[in-house]
Amino acid sequence: MHISASILNCNFLKLEEEIKKVEAAGIDSFHLDVMDGHFVSNLSFGTPIFNALKKITQKPIITHLMVFSPIKMVEWFIPGSLEIIFHYEAMKDEKELKATINKIKNNNLKCGIALNPPTPIENILPYLSEFNEILIMSVNPGFGGQKFIPETIKKIEQLRNLINKENLKITLSVDGGVGPENSKLLITAGVDKLVVGSAIFREKDYSLIVKKLKNV
Ligand code: DX5
Ligand code: ZN
């Protein structure tokens, strides 16, 4: 199971140490939660943290843009991101959605779309084959450490069935409130990747929790 560590809730006073510790614990990638204070009511971090992170890790960085007009930020996260994930709900129309996908892909990055809990999967079905990844938000975005929303599991199951039926090459991920208490459920529902933040960083021993999440 691919574990992608969200650093939003790590100890920023010891950022380099945290990155090295969680990397040594066996995570597969870093998940960078960029928030603009408008699309979500929180302002997190941007290129200074991104540039610092890519200097100290060899692991892939997946940038999760919780922002309006993500197209304007794509360039800021190249080179260095393996992938950029933006939000369906931040799009004003189909034109912006398509332009954002093209901007990300024309820069040779993988392209992912994030769906908030209330957003039905039907909204993205017409564009499914354009995405490398679908990120199902299991919390309303904006903060780490929130409670997992179990109703989102249904969306994962629906997408898993669809991806398998149409034999699509799409990674299915889940983000928000993920931990050992629900990881088994999520894997059974069909996710390929778990985005985990506080469930790792609130532990003393990162390796123990990462092993637990990987070997469920
Ligand atoms: C929430 C972010 C998530 C969050 C995950 O808006 O997209 O990545 O930080 O953190 P936990 O695992 O603490 O919910
Ligand atoms: Zn995220």
Side-chain angles (χ1 to χ4, degrees), residues 161-207:
N161 293 339
L162 208 58
I163 290 168
N164 290 357
K165 199 171 103 227
E166 323 232 329
N167 199 14
L168 295 169
K169 299 267 162 291
I170 297 178
T171 299
L172 189 51
S173 318
V174 60
D175 182 9
V178 175
E181 66 286 356
N182 52 37
S183 46
K184 210 180 181 71
L185 214 63
L186 289 162
I187 293 168
T188 313
V191 293
D192 305 298
K193 190 191 287 183
L194 299 172
V195 176
V196 188
S198 351
I200 295 175
F201 289 107
R202 67 177 164 229
E203 294 296 329
K204 268 228 158 329
D205 182 341
Y206 295 167
S207 325

Side-chain angles (χ1 to χ4, degrees), residues 6 8-9 31 33 35 64 66 137 139-146 175-178 195-199:
S6 156
L8 187 66
N9 276 17
H31 177 94
D33 286 309
M35 301 176 184
H64 176 194
M66 287 161 272
M137 294 305 297
V139 295
N140 287 300
F143 298 89
Q146 298 183 84
D175 182 9
V178 175
V195 176
V196 188
S198 351

Side-chain angles (χ1 to χ4, degrees), residues 4-15 18-19 22 29-37 40-46 49 53 62 64 66 137 139-146 175-177 195-202 206:
S4 192
S6 156
I7 63 167
L8 187 66
N9 276 17
C10 81
N11 178 352
F12 276 89
L13 294 174
K14 302 193 276 187
L15 183 59
E18 290 277 78
I19 297 300
V22 78
S29 63
F30 282 102
H31 177 94
L32 200 66
D33 286 309
V34 178
M35 301 176 184
D36 66 1
V40 290
S41 53
N42 190 11
L43 187 60
S44 60
F45 39 64
I49 294 290
L53 177 62
I62 292 141
H64 176 194
M66 287 161 272
M137 294 305 297
V139 295
N140 287 300
F143 298 89
Q146 298 183 84
D175 182 9
V195 176
V196 188
S198 351
I200 295 175
F201 289 107
R202 67 177 164 229
Y206 295 167

